Amino acid sequence: MDLDGDGHLDLISGSWPGEIFFFKGGPGRTFAAPVKLKYKTGKTINIGGGKRDGGYMILIAGDAKFEKDAKGKSIVLKFEKDAKGKSIVRYDGEDIVIPEGKQAGITGTASAVGTASAVHAVDWDGDGKIDLLIGDINGSVYLVPNEGTAKAFAFGKERTLEAGGKPIRVPGGDAGPFAADWDGDGKIDLLVGAGDGSVWFYRNIGTAKEPKLAAGVQIVKPGQATYGADAPKEPRRGVRAKVCAVDFKGDGRLDLLVGDFATQRPDRPEPTAEEKAKIDKAKTELDEVMQQYRKAVNKRSSKNVGKDKAEQEKDQKEILAIRKRMQELRKLVPPDYEEHGWVWHFERKPLEKSVSK
């Protein structure tokens, strides 16, 4: 994909926080450091991201950063002060004021949800300019039109793609769009991987320059991710499908390559009786410590807590101590499952020829 029309292939990637990253290609298949793609207005493309007010917390759903404090211990947001002495955090050129009594968080932490953008670059409307198709964690797909030129992209406001007259929303969320002429009629169609592991086909029943999508048809069934001791020992299809349509075998037919997120039981020897006793003891304590952690987090999140700075620091210190113990215990307990990502090849079958009587 040559996004800027300079004759070199570029790379483009979505991200967990939500921004879209552009790796400009150079000679010899080299790539520059990534930059965030922006709308023609100058704002960063991050559909559904940015500032979120969650009651007791201001969440920045985007590519912000944590820094350590002066003692090198507690991880805190890098705040600055505005002219009135208020705490602020800057994101995408905006000064976001953090009110007294509220906390701030950013995506990238275990408790902070990003938009999980997945992007595909394609000339969607046949005008010779590369547009963006972006899927998000809710299962929606958006078109970000290129309103510039083939050599100087300028992205306009996104719009939600519809199919069968309704906004696309794939099961399990986590939409991963890919555009290709799947039915061979000379018009771009839409394929979307879904959070449940399935893949959906949306036929273009419009024209090459004005695509219109029919209702989706499931062409790959859902996968499965089993967490815990019941995870399979052998590889099997997982969830969070991301799809690519390509003539993988060179036979003139588009196949599907489907990436996923999967779980699998580790292949390790059975523990001895002594090892098992130590593991069971650590598991019991870990369950107790996890309950303590949930209580401490709920306490910090309650409406009556957070107004007093000393009380905030006390709550945070308690949470950090519990979290440290959880990490120590997890090292003593072998995981019931491992996380993997597989790529599956679905070979396209030849079209069946009708037999005349």
Side-chain angles (χ1 to χ4, degrees):
M1 178 272 304
D2 183 6
L3 183 61
D4 54 7
D6 64 355
H8 299 294
L9 291 178
D10 307 308
L11 288 176
I12 193 171
S13 175
S15 67
W16 168 243
E19 291 94 346
I20 307 300
F21 289 87
F22 171 56
F23 300 76
K24 182 177 174 60
R29 298 294 172 90
T30 57
F31 298 94
V35 296
K36 298 171 192 171
L37 287 180
K38 298 179 181 294
Y39 296 106
K40 63 181 183 180
T41 59
K43 287 292 185 180
T44 299
I45 298 174
N46 186 1
I47 301 171
K51 177 186 172 182
R52 298 175 183 169
D53 193 336
Y56 78 96
M57 174 178 280
I58 300 294
L59 173 65
I60 309 302
D63 182 35
K65 292 181 180 179
F66 282 105
E67 289 195 0
K68 292 188 177 182
D69 63 10
K71 296 181 181 180
K73 293 183 179 179
S74 299
I75 302 295
V76 296
L77 266 174
K78 182 180 180 182
F79 291 108
E80 298 186 27
K81 298 285 185 178
D82 64 9
K84 298 180 180 179
K86 299 262 188 183
S87 294
I88 62 172
V89 59
R90 285 193 170 96
Y91 174 71
D92 197 25
E94 179 185 359
D95 288 353
I96 300 171
V97 177
I98 309 302
E100 291 293 332
K102 285 199 175 187
Q103 300 181 36
I106 59 174
T107 49
T109 63
S111 60
V113 178
T115 61
S117 60
V119 61
H120 180 60
V122 63
D123 181 4
W124 179 248
D125 53 8
D127 64 358
K129 300 175 293 186
I130 294 180
D131 309 299
L132 303 179
L133 298 178
I134 299 177
D136 71 4
I137 199 167
N138 295 316
S140 301
V141 179
Y142 300 87
L143 168 66
V144 182
N146 184 353
E147 297 175 355
T149 68
K151 293 191 175 183
F153 53 81
F155 294 110
K157 177 68 175 175
E158 76 275 357
R159 65 176 176 84
T160 304
L161 283 187
E162 295 186 349
K166 298 179 181 179
I168 293 173
R169 185 66 68 92
V170 293
D174 213 2
F178 191 94
D181 181 10
W182 184 247
D183 57 5
D185 66 354
K187 299 177 295 185
I188 290 289
D189 306 302
L190 180 65
L191 300 165
V192 183
D196 68 355
S198 61
V199 177
W200 293 76
F201 166 52
Y202 300 88
R203 186 188 305 275
N204 181 0
I205 55 175
T207 67
K209 291 188 176 294
E210 294 184 1
K212 181 180 179 181
L213 301 176
V217 177
Q218 186 185 99
I219 58 174
V220 174
K221 293 181 179 180
Q224 186 176 2
T226 304
Y227 303 92
D230 293 332
K233 293 199 72 173
E234 299 298 325
R236 72 177 178 192
R237 284 199 56 246
V239 295
R240 304 182 196 170
K242 298 295 181 287
V243 63
C244 173
V246 63
D247 182 3
F248 192 68
K249 293 185 66 179
D251 58 6
R253 297 189 294 270
L254 288 179
D255 305 309
L256 283 182
L257 298 180
V258 181
D260 67 10
F261 168 86
T263 54
Q264 188 172 333
R265 193 149 31 112
D267 186 11
R268 57 172 177 257
E270 290 295 321
T272 64
E274 183 179 356
E275 290 171 337
K276 189 176 185 305
K278 290 181 179 180
I279 292 171
D280 290 341
K281 182 179 179 182
K283 279 184 176 180
T284 300
E285 185 180 352
L286 180 59
D287 289 340
E288 295 172 354
V289 173
M290 289 178 68
Q291 290 182 16
Q292 294 174 16
Y293 181 76
R294 284 191 287 268
K295 289 180 180 179
V297 171
N298 289 335
K299 177 184 174 184
R300 185 185 66 178
S301 305
S302 65
K303 294 181 180 179
N304 296 325
V305 177
K307 296 181 179 179
D308 182 75
K309 185 176 180 181
E311 195 171 3
Q312 282 185 9
E313 292 177 349
K314 180 182 176 182
D315 290 341
Q316 185 64 15
K317 187 176 181 180
E318 179 186 5
I319 288 172
L320 291 173
I322 297 173
R323 187 183 295 167
K324 181 180 179 182
R325 183 55 182 158
M326 285 170 57
Q327 293 171 345
E328 293 170 348
L329 289 168
R330 284 193 173 112
K331 292 179 181 178
L332 302 176
V333 179
D336 290 326
Y337 65 90
E338 297 173 338
E339 297 175 350
H340 292 275
W342 309 113
V343 177
W344 302 86
H345 173 213
F346 290 83
E347 183 178 348
R348 190 72 170 272
K349 294 181 179 179
L351 291 175
E352 295 184 2
K353 295 182 179 180
S354 59
V355 179
S356 59
K357 294 183 179 179

